[in-house]
Amino acid sequence: MSCCDLKLEDYFTRFPHVSVAFSGGADSTYLLYAARTYAKTVRAYFVESAFQPRFEREDAKRLARQLGVELRILPLDPLSIPEVAGNLPDRCYHCKKAIFQAILQAAAEDGCTVLLDGTNASDDAKERPGMRALEELSVRSPLRECGLEKSQIRQLSKQAGLFTWDKPAYACLATRIAAGEEITPDKLSAAEASEEDLFSLGFTDFRVRSQNGHARLELPLAQFPLALKHREEILHRLKAYYQTVSLNLEARK
């Protein structure tokens, strides 16, 4: 049976007792919904660290309650891993490996040995070094194995009444810090706080990148007028965390 012939319902007939690595994003939410619908038993695990903003944890808790799935929150300190704190080229691999090792251990304690993650068929392994960790740890990706792409998952999520159907992708806060520059708790806190400030001003699907204490905003082109409207407020707020604030004229797509 090819991946395009395999349906999620059939997948959970094959694997009726599963655990889900749950981030609260669109992909893992639809996966958890499908697991709750078709599997016999399902548990969800959210790894909490300084790399995730608070709203992701709150979204995960809200969704688990909505779906009626038990959620276990696992603390992790990625900065205790030298390759991660040093922001080396393979940072994502080492971070993902630590995350999934923590979930595997917790799931085994709960009596479940099949761990699933929300990687989908649109994800490119070349752009996601963390996928190597999934393969090494035998973590399965049903959405990818069933050939479901991002656009399909959003449509199915909308039909299922999941508020994540149009939730923008949100990479971890470590991605805001320039490659090769040491990641510290203060830099992560600055990234989270500055993005919270921009959210409060009405911005969506953006990034605040930083390098050596200088911030660069990446906004969708349609939000450039909003940036000009709130220019003084943006400078006032973000200069609490950064020496300078600039706008990347190459619009975020």
Side-chain angles (χ1 to χ4, degrees), residues 11-12 15 17-25 27-37 39 41-47 60 64 67 69-74 99-100 103-104 106-107 110 112-119 139-143:
Y11 197 97
F12 291 107
F15 300 103
H17 306 284
V18 297
S19 53
V20 174
F22 188 48
S23 68
D27 296 332
S28 67
T29 296
Y30 185 71
L31 175 61
L32 187 61
Y33 165 81
R36 192 265 290 161
T37 301
T41 63
V42 56
R43 288 177 177 267
Y45 299 85
F46 178 88
V47 173
L67 294 172
V69 176
E70 180 180 350
L71 177 65
R72 185 170 170 185
I73 297 178
L74 308 173
I99 288 171
F100 283 98
I103 297 175
L104 281 167
D110 293 334
C112 186
T113 59
V114 179
L115 177 59
L116 313 178
D117 98 300
T119 302
V139 177
R140 304 193 68 99
S141 303
L143 303 178

Side-chain angles (χ1 to χ4, degrees), residues 149-180:
E149 298 185 344
K150 190 74 171 185
S151 59
Q152 294 173 286
I153 293 165
R154 289 195 180 281
Q155 184 59 36
L156 290 168
S157 296
K158 186 176 184 179
Q159 293 171 7
L162 301 170
F163 73 79
T164 52
W165 76 270
D166 64 345
K167 182 178 180 179
Y170 195 90
C172 83
L173 292 170
T175 63
R176 310 304 195 267
I177 300 166

